[in-house]
Amino acid sequence: MGVCGWKETNFVVSAIVVLALLGASLPMPAAVPPEVGATLRFEADGSTLVWDAVAGAERYNLYRGLMADGSDLDCLVFRTSQTSANDPDRPVSLFTYVVAAWNVDGEGSLGQTTDGRERLPRIRCSDDDGDGIRDDRDNCPGLSNALQIDHDLDGEGDPCDLQTYTFETDVVGTRPADMTQDGGVALDFIVRDYQGDLGVAYASGPVGVHDVFDRLSAARAQQDLDVYLDTYEVPGFPGTEVLTFELWSEGTFAENAGGGIQVQVVADGRFLARIRSAQDLVDLGDAVLPSGGRSRLRLRKGPNETSTLHLDGWDGTSWQQDRGVFEITDDHRLVGRRLSMASHDGGRRAVVRVTGNALFPETDLFIRRTPDGVMDWKLYQRGADDTAPIPVPFSYRSAGAARIEARIVDSTSGTPLLGHDFPDHNKALAAAPAGRTSELLLSSVPAGGNYDLEMRLVDVESGVFLAEDSVSEIAVGDVILAAGQSNMSGFSGTIVPAEPPVDNVHLFGNDYLWKRGAEPMDSGVDQVDQVSADNPFHSLMLRFAKEVSAQTGFPVAIIPAPLGGTNLHTQWQRRDSDPTHRGTLYGSAIHRVLVQGYAEPIRGVIWYQGESDVGRGVDLYLADLEGLVADFRADLANPDLFFGNCQLATNLGANLDNWIQIQEAQRR
């Protein structure tokens, strides 16, 4: 090892190039390059480093550090095929340089320190994913991204960005990974090769089926979004080149359920925007973008019940903002959290890349208020030990390490439940300046209520409370699904005075919101699943729940799903291919239960129906009813599910012989 110095440039060159020795753990020695030798030197110009070539070397790595012993070496020149390199910096102090030969079997040693230890660089000239980009400058270390593609320009390469779908690791001819189909089956939604880019599209298929980008769901409803789209127009299909993309999506067109903000790229390249509410579509306008197939959608929640959708176009070098601006004057029913593609109005226009970024809200802590999360007035099904776990999904933002704490208090007195105070429910959280989602499980919450859930975010270092959030009037008790026809819905007219509400009866309404149970229990206001849309009056549900609660001593929740005038033998049948299809009465009823994410199966079902099956006789109706009970017990995962069957009442204006046959089947 030699040292060459030039006083006029204040450089020191340490020529340390040593053959690497293979670790003993490998069964066979790799053919790493031989030693370069002490040939590293400066040319006369004082800035060009040169060294002698060695047999077996494919490339060379040049390291540089400030310490004379080479203890702080960083990668300077990565895998050059030359035997020379220039240092662009003119140091004000001494530099130490080390060169090592490299081939596909590995890099030669950087030599040894004066005490005989192997010299290790601070930043190695490595490329673990083999894409030709050194790891310390790779925007996606560990996954190949040779072109350093970064769809949303956030500094994280697309293969590593969980918010980006590229389809490049999918298999042509199969469904893409991490996408869930909803509302039916579209066999033609598969990965295809579009001139070197893999992408997805519908070739035809059922109208209204949605394919959901599972990783891109927002943490809460009406969260601001930035969505980047790269599309591909398939030649040869004029008039059918349509792409339908849905933001704030919930439910599907095929199910006549939920809603969302739809953006369509149509045959002539224009963008159309519209609101979908179940199967009702309202146009918001259109816009024209530069050619190239790249666009950006910026959806922003406005004040009160308004929002704005901004459409930007990429001209090849920069974003042209607001090529289209679409005002949404009433967004209160747009409560979905998903991004999806839909098989509306044709297909074949492909998506080859999509990135969805849900922007973190201003608040530093919020509890996710959705049916499968936590909501005011939500009731949780108690288990055999008269307790229920309550998972609390939340999002937080903290500059440093933090701790989340939660407690359950009595809604009336504010007194914490024994074993459910802040010290009993807490979790350490990593720093998340940009925001992060997490979940805290409150186990063994006792049956009863109503309770308030209080949550706070605490800075670990200072102990200061950073933020807090709360949910009111939750409970643990028994959940009952109510189904049938007009008798259950409540078309017997109004009762004066109406059945008064009480705090221990909860209701999951047709609008998919939890609330205090009150007439009309089967209200059709803001109905989400249109299959059961109705506008009834006074039903048996509230009174039934009050009676059960009085007898058991626990709160009771009703989940209504009936529809007046419906029969059992065709309209309430289970769709075996898709039992939870929300376009069917049975599937919609089951979905309203399963969407709650309960740890325990609900307690029971109450059923009041029969008029529309009058004339089928005892045996046929009995078989249909027994099949319905078996289906409920299987799909609700409770073989002992209580089934309360209300016998059909006598109607003096009807054919009593036929009605009595239905009554007899129900009695049996």
Side-chain angles (χ1 to χ4, degrees), residues 483-489 491 522 530-535 561-567 571-572 585 609 612:
Q485 62 178 107
S486 59
N487 309 53
M488 183 66 78
S489 296
F491 280 97
D522 193 30
Q530 293 299 309
V531 67
S532 62
D534 236 336
N535 291 289
L563 178 64
T566 54
N567 67 64
Q571 292 174 285
W572 274 97
L585 288 168
Q609 188 273 343
S612 296

PDB file of all heavy atoms in Angstrom, residues 483-489 491 522 530-535 561-567 571-572 585 609 612:
ATOM      1  N   ALA A 483     -86.274  -8.552   8.414  1.00  0.00           N
ATOM      2  CA  ALA A 483     -86.520  -8.747   6.990  1.00  0.00           C
ATOM      3  C   ALA A 483     -87.971  -9.159   6.766  1.00  0.00           C
ATOM      4  O   ALA A 483     -88.708  -9.475   7.701  1.00  0.00           O
ATOM      5  CB  ALA A 483     -85.565  -9.802   6.435  1.00  0.00           C
ATOM      6  N   GLY A 484     -88.370  -9.154   5.486  1.00  0.00           N
ATOM      7  CA  GLY A 484     -89.737  -9.526   5.156  1.00  0.00           C
ATOM      8  C   GLY A 484     -90.343  -8.563   4.157  1.00  0.00           C
ATOM      9  O   GLY A 484     -89.652  -7.969   3.340  1.00  0.00           O
ATOM     10  N   GLN A 485     -91.706  -8.357   4.257  1.00  0.00           N
ATOM     11  CA  GLN A 485     -92.356  -7.451   3.339  1.00  0.00           C
ATOM     12  C   GLN A 485     -93.050  -6.335   4.102  1.00  0.00           C
ATOM     13  O   GLN A 485     -92.534  -5.889   5.126  1.00  0.00           O
ATOM     14  CB  GLN A 485     -93.273  -8.206   2.371  1.00  0.00           C
ATOM     15  CG  GLN A 485     -94.428  -8.970   2.984  1.00  0.00           C
ATOM     16  CD  GLN A 485     -95.295  -9.626   1.921  1.00  0.00           C
ATOM     17  OE1 GLN A 485     -95.252 -10.844   1.769  1.00  0.00           O
ATOM     18  NE2 GLN A 485     -96.096  -8.852   1.201  1.00  0.00           N
ATOM     19  N   SER A 486     -94.205  -5.859   3.614  1.00  0.00           N
ATOM     20  CA  SER A 486     -94.779  -4.616   4.134  1.00  0.00           C
ATOM     21  C   SER A 486     -95.088  -4.671   5.619  1.00  0.00           C
ATOM     22  O   SER A 486     -94.986  -3.656   6.316  1.00  0.00           O
ATOM     23  CB  SER A 486     -96.051  -4.263   3.359  1.00  0.00           C
ATOM     24  OG  SER A 486     -97.001  -5.309   3.460  1.00  0.00           O
ATOM     25  N   ASN A 487     -95.455  -5.873   6.140  1.00  0.00           N
ATOM     26  CA  ASN A 487     -95.756  -5.970   7.564  1.00  0.00           C
ATOM     27  C   ASN A 487     -94.548  -5.575   8.407  1.00  0.00           C
ATOM     28  O   ASN A 487     -94.681  -4.923   9.446  1.00  0.00           O
ATOM     29  CB  ASN A 487     -96.170  -7.400   7.930  1.00  0.00           C
ATOM     30  CG  ASN A 487     -97.258  -7.933   7.046  1.00  0.00           C
ATOM     31  OD1 ASN A 487     -97.120  -7.898   5.834  1.00  0.00           O
ATOM     32  ND2 ASN A 487     -98.335  -8.444   7.631  1.00  0.00           N
ATOM     33  N   MET A 488     -93.342  -5.996   7.961  1.00  0.00           N
ATOM     34  CA  MET A 488     -92.130  -5.637   8.691  1.00  0.00           C
ATOM     35  C   MET A 488     -91.728  -4.196   8.388  1.00  0.00           C
ATOM     36  O   MET A 488     -91.283  -3.474   9.279  1.00  0.00           O
ATOM     37  CB  MET A 488     -90.989  -6.584   8.333  1.00  0.00           C
ATOM     38  CG  MET A 488     -89.700  -6.333   9.106  1.00  0.00           C
ATOM     39  SD  MET A 488     -89.881  -6.665  10.874  1.00  0.00           S
ATOM     40  CE  MET A 488     -89.790  -8.459  10.880  1.00  0.00           C
ATOM     41  N   SER A 489     -91.876  -3.763   7.139  1.00  0.00           N
ATOM     42  CA  SER A 489     -91.482  -2.397   6.787  1.00  0.00           C
ATOM     43  C   SER A 489     -92.295  -1.368   7.560  1.00  0.00           C
ATOM     44  O   SER A 489     -91.764  -0.364   8.033  1.00  0.00           O
ATOM     45  CB  SER A 489     -91.664  -2.165   5.285  1.00  0.00           C
ATOM     46  OG  SER A 489     -90.809  -2.980   4.530  1.00  0.00           O
ATOM     47  N   PHE A 491     -96.295  -0.658   6.859  1.00  0.00           N
ATOM     48  CA  PHE A 491     -97.313  -0.015   6.038  1.00  0.00           C
ATOM     49  C   PHE A 491     -98.713  -0.185   6.627  1.00  0.00           C
ATOM     50  O   PHE A 491     -99.698  -0.132   5.912  1.00  0.00           O
ATOM     51  CB  PHE A 491     -97.269  -0.559   4.615  1.00  0.00           C
ATOM     52  CG  PHE A 491     -96.177   0.053   3.782  1.00  0.00           C
ATOM     53  CD1 PHE A 491     -94.971  -0.594   3.623  1.00  0.00           C
ATOM     54  CD2 PHE A 491     -96.349   1.290   3.181  1.00  0.00           C
ATOM     55  CE1 PHE A 491     -93.960  -0.035   2.866  1.00  0.00           C
ATOM     56  CE2 PHE A 491     -95.343   1.858   2.422  1.00  0.00           C
ATOM     57  CZ  PHE A 491     -94.144   1.195   2.261  1.00  0.00           C
ATOM     58  N   ASP A 522     -87.629   1.844   9.140  1.00  0.00           N
ATOM     59  CA  ASP A 522     -87.230   1.450   7.787  1.00  0.00           C
ATOM     60  C   ASP A 522     -87.294   2.645   6.835  1.00  0.00           C
ATOM     61  O   ASP A 522     -87.718   2.509   5.688  1.00  0.00           O
ATOM     62  CB  ASP A 522     -88.138   0.318   7.291  1.00  0.00           C
ATOM     63  CG  ASP A 522     -87.595  -0.364   6.042  1.00  0.00           C
ATOM     64  OD1 ASP A 522     -86.364  -0.408   5.882  1.00  0.00           O
ATOM     65  OD2 ASP A 522     -88.404  -0.833   5.231  1.00  0.00           O
ATOM     66  N   GLN A 530     -80.693   0.346  -3.202  1.00  0.00           N
ATOM     67  CA  GLN A 530     -82.008   0.670  -3.740  1.00  0.00           C
ATOM     68  C   GLN A 530     -82.930  -0.539  -3.858  1.00  0.00           C
ATOM     69  O   GLN A 530     -84.144  -0.374  -4.021  1.00  0.00           O
ATOM     70  CB  GLN A 530     -81.850   1.320  -5.111  1.00  0.00           C
ATOM     71  CG  GLN A 530     -81.182   2.690  -5.069  1.00  0.00           C
ATOM     72  CD  GLN A 530     -81.986   3.687  -4.251  1.00  0.00           C
ATOM     73  OE1 GLN A 530     -83.185   3.853  -4.473  1.00  0.00           O
ATOM     74  NE2 GLN A 530     -81.333   4.345  -3.320  1.00  0.00           N
ATOM     75  N   VAL A 531     -82.413  -1.740  -3.735  1.00  0.00           N
ATOM     76  CA  VAL A 531     -83.236  -2.925  -3.872  1.00  0.00           C
ATOM     77  C   VAL A 531     -84.358  -2.958  -2.838  1.00  0.00           C
ATOM     78  O   VAL A 531     -85.421  -3.539  -3.086  1.00  0.00           O
ATOM     79  CB  VAL A 531     -82.369  -4.200  -3.770  1.00  0.00           C
ATOM     80  CG1 VAL A 531     -81.785  -4.361  -2.371  1.00  0.00           C
ATOM     81  CG2 VAL A 531     -83.153  -5.439  -4.176  1.00  0.00           C
ATOM     82  N   SER A 532     -84.163  -2.314  -1.694  1.00  0.00           N
ATOM     83  CA  SER A 532     -85.186  -2.338  -0.638  1.00  0.00           C
ATOM     84  C   SER A 532     -85.758  -0.956  -0.354  1.00  0.00           C
ATOM     85  O   SER A 532     -86.332  -0.731   0.709  1.00  0.00           O
ATOM     86  CB  SER A 532     -84.606  -2.934   0.652  1.00  0.00           C
ATOM     87  OG  SER A 532     -83.535  -2.127   1.131  1.00  0.00           O
ATOM     88  N   ALA A 533     -85.616  -0.031  -1.296  1.00  0.00           N
ATOM     89  CA  ALA A 533     -86.094   1.337  -1.077  1.00  0.00           C
ATOM     90  C   ALA A 533     -87.604   1.364  -0.882  1.00  0.00           C
ATOM     91  O   ALA A 533     -88.360   0.796  -1.667  1.00  0.00           O
ATOM     92  CB  ALA A 533     -85.702   2.226  -2.250  1.00  0.00           C
ATOM     93  N   ASP A 534     -88.046   2.029   0.175  1.00  0.00           N
ATOM     94  CA  ASP A 534     -89.461   2.134   0.512  1.00  0.00           C
ATOM     95  C   ASP A 534     -89.651   3.347   1.416  1.00  0.00           C
ATOM     96  O   ASP A 534     -88.671   3.890   1.949  1.00  0.00           O
ATOM     97  CB  ASP A 534     -89.929   0.869   1.236  1.00  0.00           C
ATOM     98  CG  ASP A 534     -91.115   0.220   0.545  1.00  0.00           C
ATOM     99  OD1 ASP A 534     -91.842   0.940  -0.163  1.00  0.00           O
ATOM    100  OD2 ASP A 534     -91.306  -0.997   0.711  1.00  0.00           O
ATOM    101  N   ASN A 535     -90.880   3.750   1.627  1.00  0.00           N
ATOM    102  CA  ASN A 535     -91.184   4.877   2.507  1.00  0.00           C
ATOM    103  C   ASN A 535     -92.326   4.512   3.443  1.00  0.00           C
ATOM    104  O   ASN A 535     -93.454   5.007   3.308  1.00  0.00           O
ATOM    105  CB  ASN A 535     -91.537   6.123   1.686  1.00  0.00           C
ATOM    106  CG  ASN A 535     -90.341   6.679   0.945  1.00  0.00           C
ATOM    107  OD1 ASN A 535     -89.430   7.247   1.542  1.00  0.00           O
ATOM    108  ND2 ASN A 535     -90.321   6.480  -0.376  1.00  0.00           N
ATOM    109  N   ALA A 561     -84.028  -4.500   6.676  1.00  0.00           N
ATOM    110  CA  ALA A 561     -83.785  -4.775   5.257  1.00  0.00           C
ATOM    111  C   ALA A 561     -85.034  -5.301   4.548  1.00  0.00           C
ATOM    112  O   ALA A 561     -84.898  -6.036   3.565  1.00  0.00           O
ATOM    113  CB  ALA A 561     -82.639  -5.766   5.108  1.00  0.00           C
ATOM    114  N   PRO A 562     -86.263  -4.977   4.984  1.00  0.00           N
ATOM    115  CA  PRO A 562     -87.456  -5.515   4.311  1.00  0.00           C
ATOM    116  C   PRO A 562     -87.844  -4.679   3.098  1.00  0.00           C
ATOM    117  O   PRO A 562     -87.299  -3.599   2.861  1.00  0.00           O
ATOM    118  CB  PRO A 562     -88.529  -5.419   5.402  1.00  0.00           C
ATOM    119  CG  PRO A 562     -88.130  -4.206   6.192  1.00  0.00           C
ATOM    120  CD  PRO A 562     -86.621  -4.161   6.167  1.00  0.00           C
ATOM    121  N   LEU A 563     -88.805  -5.198   2.334  1.00  0.00           N
ATOM    122  CA  LEU A 563     -89.388  -4.457   1.215  1.00  0.00           C
ATOM    123  C   LEU A 563     -90.830  -4.895   1.032  1.00  0.00           C
ATOM    124  O   LEU A 563     -91.109  -6.098   0.907  1.00  0.00           O
ATOM    125  CB  LEU A 563     -88.609  -4.700  -0.073  1.00  0.00           C
ATOM    126  CG  LEU A 563     -89.176  -3.998  -1.329  1.00  0.00           C
ATOM    127  CD1 LEU A 563     -89.109  -2.476  -1.169  1.00  0.00           C
ATOM    128  CD2 LEU A 563     -88.449  -4.443  -2.583  1.00  0.00           C
ATOM    129  N   GLY A 564     -91.728  -3.928   1.013  1.00  0.00           N
ATOM    130  CA  GLY A 564     -93.141  -4.232   0.876  1.00  0.00           C
ATOM    131  C   GLY A 564     -93.467  -4.916  -0.444  1.00  0.00           C
ATOM    132  O   GLY A 564     -92.875  -4.632  -1.482  1.00  0.00           O
ATOM    133  N   GLY A 565     -94.422  -5.853  -0.376  1.00  0.00           N
ATOM    134  CA  GLY A 565     -94.929  -6.494  -1.579  1.00  0.00           C
ATOM    135  C   GLY A 565     -94.059  -7.588  -2.155  1.00  0.00           C
ATOM    136  O   GLY A 565     -94.287  -8.032  -3.286  1.00  0.00           O
ATOM    137  N   THR A 566     -93.056  -8.067  -1.424  1.00  0.00           N
ATOM    138  CA  THR A 566     -92.122  -9.048  -1.986  1.00  0.00           C
ATOM    139  C   THR A 566     -92.478 -10.464  -1.562  1.00  0.00           C
ATOM    140  O   THR A 566     -92.973 -10.701  -0.457  1.00  0.00           O
ATOM    141  CB  THR A 566     -90.682  -8.736  -1.551  1.00  0.00           C
ATOM    142  OG1 THR A 566     -90.619  -8.632  -0.124  1.00  0.00           O
ATOM    143  CG2 THR A 566     -90.223  -7.432  -2.169  1.00  0.00           C
ATOM    144  N   ASN A 567     -92.201 -11.432  -2.454  1.00  0.00           N
ATOM    145  CA  ASN A 567     -92.468 -12.838  -2.138  1.00  0.00           C
ATOM    146  C   ASN A 567     -91.184 -13.557  -1.766  1.00  0.00           C
ATOM    147  O   ASN A 567     -90.079 -13.101  -2.071  1.00  0.00           O
ATOM    148  CB  ASN A 567     -93.165 -13.535  -3.309  1.00  0.00           C
ATOM    149  CG  ASN A 567     -92.272 -13.653  -4.531  1.00  0.00           C
ATOM    150  OD1 ASN A 567     -91.241 -14.328  -4.501  1.00  0.00           O
ATOM    151  ND2 ASN A 567     -92.652 -12.995  -5.622  1.00  0.00           N
ATOM    152  N   GLN A 571     -88.147 -13.509  -4.857  1.00  0.00           N
ATOM    153  CA  GLN A 571     -87.473 -12.244  -4.545  1.00  0.00           C
ATOM    154  C   GLN A 571     -86.554 -12.308  -3.330  1.00  0.00           C
ATOM    155  O   GLN A 571     -85.674 -11.464  -3.191  1.00  0.00           O
ATOM    156  CB  GLN A 571     -88.521 -11.137  -4.355  1.00  0.00           C
ATOM    157  CG  GLN A 571     -89.251 -10.781  -5.642  1.00  0.00           C
ATOM    158  CD  GLN A 571     -90.377  -9.804  -5.404  1.00  0.00           C
ATOM    159  OE1 GLN A 571     -91.428 -10.170  -4.897  1.00  0.00           O
ATOM    160  NE2 GLN A 571     -90.145  -8.548  -5.770  1.00  0.00           N
ATOM    161  N   TRP A 572     -86.760 -13.287  -2.455  1.00  0.00           N
ATOM    162  CA  TRP A 572     -85.901 -13.401  -1.274  1.00  0.00           C
ATOM    163  C   TRP A 572     -84.964 -14.613  -1.366  1.00  0.00           C
ATOM    164  O   TRP A 572     -84.454 -15.069  -0.351  1.00  0.00           O
ATOM    165  CB  TRP A 572     -86.744 -13.476   0.005  1.00  0.00           C
ATOM    166  CG  TRP A 572     -87.100 -12.117   0.523  1.00  0.00           C
ATOM    167  CD1 TRP A 572     -88.254 -11.430   0.315  1.00  0.00           C
ATOM    168  CD2 TRP A 572     -86.271 -11.275   1.321  1.00  0.00           C
ATOM    169  NE1 TRP A 572     -88.208 -10.203   0.933  1.00  0.00           N
ATOM    170  CE2 TRP A 572     -86.995 -10.074   1.565  1.00  0.00           C
ATOM    171  CE3 TRP A 572     -84.993 -11.382   1.851  1.00  0.00           C
ATOM    172  CZ2 TRP A 572     -86.480  -9.021   2.313  1.00  0.00           C
ATOM    173  CZ3 TRP A 572     -84.476 -10.333   2.602  1.00  0.00           C
ATOM    174  CH2 TRP A 572     -85.218  -9.169   2.822  1.00  0.00           C
ATOM    175  N   LEU A 585     -82.427  -8.800  -2.496  1.00  0.00           N
ATOM    176  CA  LEU A 585     -82.902  -8.513  -1.140  1.00  0.00           C
ATOM    177  C   LEU A 585     -82.116  -9.296  -0.100  1.00  0.00           C
ATOM    178  O   LEU A 585     -81.704  -8.752   0.932  1.00  0.00           O
ATOM    179  CB  LEU A 585     -84.393  -8.832  -1.029  1.00  0.00           C
ATOM    180  CG  LEU A 585     -85.332  -7.854  -1.748  1.00  0.00           C
ATOM    181  CD1 LEU A 585     -86.735  -8.423  -1.826  1.00  0.00           C
ATOM    182  CD2 LEU A 585     -85.343  -6.507  -1.034  1.00  0.00           C
ATOM    183  N   GLN A 609     -93.585 -11.932   6.813  1.00  0.00           N
ATOM    184  CA  GLN A 609     -93.844 -11.968   5.382  1.00  0.00           C
ATOM    185  C   GLN A 609     -94.797 -13.116   5.100  1.00  0.00           C
ATOM    186  O   GLN A 609     -94.919 -14.033   5.906  1.00  0.00           O
ATOM    187  CB  GLN A 609     -92.521 -12.166   4.617  1.00  0.00           C
ATOM    188  CG  GLN A 609     -92.575 -12.039   3.110  1.00  0.00           C
ATOM    189  CD  GLN A 609     -92.930 -13.341   2.414  1.00  0.00           C
ATOM    190  OE1 GLN A 609     -92.842 -14.423   3.008  1.00  0.00           O
ATOM    191  NE2 GLN A 609     -93.364 -13.252   1.166  1.00  0.00           N
ATOM    192  N   SER A 612     -97.502 -12.251  -0.141  1.00  0.00           N
ATOM    193  CA  SER A 612     -97.157 -12.389  -1.558  1.00  0.00           C
ATOM    194  C   SER A 612     -96.914 -13.832  -1.968  1.00  0.00           C
ATOM    195  O   SER A 612     -96.687 -14.114  -3.148  1.00  0.00           O
ATOM    196  CB  SER A 612     -95.913 -11.544  -1.886  1.00  0.00           C
ATOM    197  OG  SER A 612     -96.190 -10.174  -1.696  1.00  0.00           O
TER     198      SER A 612
END
